[in-house]
Amino acid sequence: CGGDDRRRPGKVPPAVTMIIIDGYNLLHASGIFGDERGPRGFEQSRTALLDHLLELLGPEAERTLVVFDAAHAPDGLPARLQHGPLRVWFAREYPDADSLIEELLEEDPDRSNVVVSSDRRVQVAARRQRATAVGSEQWLAERRAALRAARQPRETKPPEPGPDGVEAWKRFFGL
């Protein structure tokens, strides 16, 4: 193990080349769902998830690819699109998103890639290519906690007075 924290689940390498996200896997873990059912509901849910990812990722969104299943997608759904800086791919020519993610990992076996999915098959493929595999629930929890921490105002406590400071205040108040 040594000091190489790239191999430990949940630890993101310091210089991430690309974050690859199993879209519907993360959508399920996130609890973000549209109000409608059917294709329109899927579209609303995907859009809500992608908006949430922009918030969670910040500048890292530019290095992020979200892959969704699309074998039985409705006509008119593009194979690729941009959602702000996020790249979004639909696995149109594949049985599922897992197959496309596996192919991407094989084509670019970069150990600084991070793959977000709770799917065992995807995690095994990521580790086989020496990428970091992180479960969807864990990744979301870590990102949401970091976002909450960044939004909370920092309370700065004044420094504790030294012996000279205490004496100065006693003199000031006539004690």
Side-chain angles (χ1 to χ4, degrees):
C1 266
D4 186 6
D5 63 345
R6 292 180 218 180
R7 303 286 296 181
R8 280 186 262 148
K11 299 295 181 184
V12 176
V16 173
T17 301
M18 183 168 34
I19 301 171
I20 302 170
I21 297 175
D22 183 345
Y24 285 128
N25 187 275
L26 187 68
L27 179 65
H28 180 72
S30 73
I32 298 172
F33 296 103
D35 294 331
E36 291 187 37
R37 296 285 176 241
R40 181 85 178 116
F42 274 129
E43 182 182 342
Q44 287 179 345
S45 297
R46 282 192 306 266
T47 301
L49 175 68
L50 295 171
D51 289 342
H52 188 53
L53 285 173
L54 289 174
E55 186 179 30
L56 292 174
L57 289 162
E60 285 183 292
E62 293 177 5
R63 296 188 310 270
T64 302
L65 172 63
V66 183
V67 180
F68 288 102
D69 294 314
H72 305 290
D75 291 336
L77 185 69
R80 296 179 182 189
L81 61 88
Q82 286 287 133
H83 187 86
L86 282 173
R87 288 177 294 153
V88 181
W89 290 8
F90 294 93
R92 278 197 156 298
E93 306 296 322
Y94 297 83
D96 52 32
D98 299 359
S99 299
L100 176 53
I101 292 170
E102 285 177 325
E103 184 175 297
L104 288 166
L105 290 167
E106 288 170 10
E107 289 176 359
D108 183 23
D110 189 333
R111 66 185 292 136
S112 63
N113 285 337
V114 174
V115 180
V116 179
S117 178
S118 295
D119 188 308
R120 180 163 163 59
R121 174 180 160 194
V122 173
Q123 289 186 349
V124 167
R127 289 188 183 107
R128 185 173 43 245
Q129 298 302 329
R130 304 181 87 151
T132 300
V134 183
S136 293
E137 294 85 1
Q138 178 184 350
W139 187 84
L140 275 171
E142 289 172 2
R143 289 291 174 145
R144 286 173 172 168
L147 184 62
R148 275 192 304 277
R151 287 182 172 169
Q152 287 182 349
R154 305 212 190 289
E155 293 183 27
T156 54
K157 185 176 166 185
E160 294 290 326
D164 296 336
V166 172
E167 293 306 314
W169 283 111
K170 283 183 178 176
R171 284 192 303 278
F172 179 80
F173 287 109
L175 300 173

